[in-house]
Amino acid sequence: MTERFSAREAIALAGDDFRELPVPMREFKPDGPLSWQGYDDSRRRALTRTGEDESVVCGTAVIGSTRAVLIAFEFGFLGGSLGARTGDRVEAAYTHARAHRLPVVSLVATGGSRMQEGMLALTQLQRVARQSALAREAGLPQIAVLRDPTTGGGWATLGAGADVTLALPGAQVGFAGSRVRPSDADPAAYTAEAQMAAGAVDAVVREEELRETLALWLTLLTAPAAEAEGEVEGEVESEAASGGEVEPVPPPAALGAPGLPATGWDAVRHARSPERPRAAAYLDAYFSHRAAISGDRCGGSDDGMLCGFGSGPAGRTVAYAAQCGTATRPAGYRTAARLIRLAGRLGFPVLTLVDTPGAANDAQAERQGAGSAIADLFAAVATARTPVTTLVIGEGGSGGALALAAPGNTWATPDSYFSVIAPELAAAILKRPASEVRDTADQLRIRPQDLVELGVIRGIVEHAGR
C-alpha cells in the first residue's frame, strides 16, 4: 500500500501557489437528502479530523511552468466519497478550467459514492462525466493521478476517463473496493501495477518524481502549435507549405547505412538487419524530451508499439506512434488509435514510424480482436483531425503496417521495404518453392524506389551523414 496523503499534502506534492476556488453553497435538510440518521454527526467528525468540510478540495496551482486546475480528494473525509456537494465542487472546478482554458489535474483518492445520500450521490458520476466530456470537447488536457485508494465511480470517471492516467506505486485501483469484491479475489489484481499491465494506466510514478512528471506532461500537452517558416532542405516540404505536417527528419546514422537496395531481396535484408536503427533511436534523435502513454484502455498493452508526445524542433509538441520491429498486437493498434484521437482533440500533429513484419496472427491475437483493432486504427488515421506523417524505417509487412501509414504522406528510408505480404509468405501462397523467394521479392516491387515510382510513398529520406 502506498502512503495516504491528505488532499492538501497531495496538492503540495504536485505544485505550488495553490489558490482555492470559491465553494458552491448547497443547503441540505438535517442529516442530508435521505435524512440518514447520524449523517450530520459523521460530517462534523470528518471536519474535525481533516480540517475539510467536504471530500474534495479544488483550486489552481502552478505545476512546472503551467497553471492548472487541481481537484484533490480528501480520503479522510468519509472515505473520499462523492456526494452532491462533491459534485458541485467538481463541476465548478471544470467550469473554471473551461473559462480560463486551463488543463485539469485530478489527484484521486476515493472509496466511491456516498451511501448516506443514496442515488443522489450516485448520479454525481453523471455530472462528473459530463464535465470531463465538456473539457474534452474544449480541447483541454486532463491528467489523473491515482492515489490510494482509487475505486468506484471516482476511478470510473476522473481516473479512467482522463487523457493521461498516472498512479502512485502500490495504490489500490479498481472499480470494486476492498469490501465489495468477491472473497476469493486476488488482491494483486486491484493495484496500480496490475492496472498498468492491463492497459488502464499509462505509468506508475514514484512520489518523488510526480511533480517533474506532471510538469513534463503539462508542458507537452499545453504547448501552442508552432508555425514553421522558411524552406526545409531536401525533398521534404516545409510545415507551412504542407498544412502543418510533421517533417520526416533524416534517420539517425547507422553502422554501414546502406544506399538504395539493388534488388527486392536486398531491401528485405537491409530492413531486417540488426544494425539499422530502430524506433527508439529515431525518437531520441527527433525529440528533446518525450512522455509515453501506455495501454489500450480495454485490457492490454504492447511493448512493440511506442506511443506518446514529445518536444520536437522549435519546441513544437508532436504525438508519435512507433512500431518496434515486432509483430504488432491488437493492444498496440488500439493504443495507437487512442493516441491519434487524443492528438486530434488537443491539436497536435502526429508522426508514425512503421516497422513490423505484420500483425500478430496467433490464436491469442485473434481472441483479442486483431481485425477490429486494425480496422479501428485505419479509421483513426483516415479521420485524423490533425496532419499525420509516416516514415517507414524497416519492415512494412502488409495491412499490419499499412494501418499506421498516412495516405498520401508516407515516406521511407533506404533500409526499408513495404509489401502486400512478406516475400516468403507470398511464395508460399503462390505455391512456389523456396528457391523463388528472391525472385518473388523483385516481382512484388517492394524497394523504396519502386514505391516512389508506384506512387505509394512520397519520397525517400536519406540517413544522416550520407
Side-chain angles (χ1 to χ4, degrees), residues 1-2 146-150 167-174 190-193:
M1 182 188 300
T2 187
L146 312 182
R147 297 152 54 207
D148 186 63
T150 298
L168 296 180
Q172 179 188 172
V173 179
Y190 301 84
T191 63
E193 291 78 5

Side-chain angles (χ1 to χ4, degrees), residues 451-463:
L451 299 171
V452 173
E453 184 178 341
L454 291 169
V456 174
I457 65 173
R458 286 179 62 177
I460 300 168
V461 181
E462 295 287 343
H463 281 274

Side-chain angles (χ1 to χ4, degrees), residues 328-426:
T328 305
R329 305 205 62 81
Y333 292 114
R334 284 190 285 259
T335 304
R338 172 192 162 210
L339 181 280
I340 291 168
R341 292 187 174 112
L342 175 56
R345 290 201 304 270
L346 300 179
F348 298 120
V350 180
L351 172 66
T352 66
L353 302 180
V354 169
D355 183 13
T356 179
N361 58 7
D362 54 78
Q364 184 180 22
E366 295 297 343
R367 285 193 291 266
Q368 293 171 346
S372 60
I374 295 170
D376 188 49
L377 180 54
F378 269 120
V381 173
T383 60
R385 296 167 58 180
T386 52
V388 180
T389 301
T390 299
L391 184 63
V392 184
I393 64 172
E395 292 194 80
S398 193
L402 187 67
L404 200 61
N409 196 28
T410 293
W411 305 74
T413 64
D415 47 359
S416 68
Y417 77 86
F418 217 154
S419 178
V420 63
I421 197 168
E424 299 94 331
L425 299 178

Side-chain angles (χ1 to χ4, degrees), residues 136-176:
R136 192 175 298 117
E137 289 177 2
L140 301 178
Q142 299 176 77
I143 301 174
V145 178
L146 312 182
R147 297 152 54 207
D148 186 63
T150 298
T151 62
W155 165 229
T157 52
L158 292 174
D163 298 320
V164 176
T165 304
L166 310 175
L168 296 180
Q172 179 188 172
V173 179
F175 186 65

Side-chain angles (χ1 to χ4, degrees), residues 249-275:
V249 293
L255 293 174
L260 291 175
T263 68
W265 189 248
D266 285 339
V268 173
R269 288 193 306 104
H270 293 170
R272 294 175 180 174
S273 170
E275 295 184 337

